[in-house]
Amino acid sequence: VAALPDDANAWYRIGLAAARLGRAESALTAFDRVEALRPGRGDGLLAAARFEAQRGADEAAAARLTAWLDAADADTPAEARAAAHGLLADIAATRARPAEARAQAALAEEALPGMPFGTFVDARLLHDAGEYAKALA
């Protein structure tokens, strides 16, 4: 990035490497840089939110995703909107908020019809409740 500071792919890889090393500030800075270089695409934002959620910063991840979705417009890729709602559904399931998880899954399916977000969330909730056979079905 010293030679090509506007290379979003390089910043993305730096973010991934920093995340693997547990360097939260560096990872988030790199992912934010990706988002600044590719506004509206969501790849930097989604990577940052996934990283935050993985390290237990659910509130920060949810706030990041919600703010981005609130600012999304018609040019925002459907795949990115669906992924954001899908991650919000996962965060809600982690927080034991089934109604919120299902609502976010429905929004993900609305953004990207044909993807089984609702089925996945229902299976996740059943699994979390210890109903493994029902979750598998």
Side-chain angles (χ1 to χ4, degrees):
V1 295
L4 299 168
D6 292 335
D7 185 340
N9 290 327
W11 281 106
Y12 189 83
R13 292 187 182 280
I14 286 172
L16 291 176
R20 283 188 204 112
L21 293 170
R23 297 180 180 165
E25 187 176 331
S26 295
L28 294 174
T29 297
F31 292 140
D32 286 344
R33 181 75 174 137
V34 171
E35 196 60 31
L37 291 168
R38 296 187 227 179
R41 285 188 40 186
D43 46 347
L45 166 107
L46 289 164
R50 278 188 202 104
F51 174 66
E52 288 174 320
Q54 288 169 352
R55 59 188 267 261
D58 291 341
E59 292 289 335
R64 181 184 294 268
L65 292 164
T66 301
W68 183 79
L69 284 165
D70 287 347
D73 59 23
D75 294 331
T76 303
E79 293 84 2
R81 285 194 319 274
H85 285 297
L87 186 50
L88 283 168
D90 190 49
I91 290 168
T94 298
R95 294 171 161 174
R97 296 179 182 169
E100 185 181 331
R102 288 186 180 101
Q104 287 296 331
L107 290 169
E109 287 181 354
E110 183 180 310
L112 201 59
M115 294 300 293
F117 289 97
T119 301
F120 177 78
V121 166
D122 287 340
R124 159 83 193 272
L125 294 169
L126 287 166
H127 180 273
D128 291 351
E131 298 188 44
Y132 305 118
K134 287 181 182 178
L136 183 60

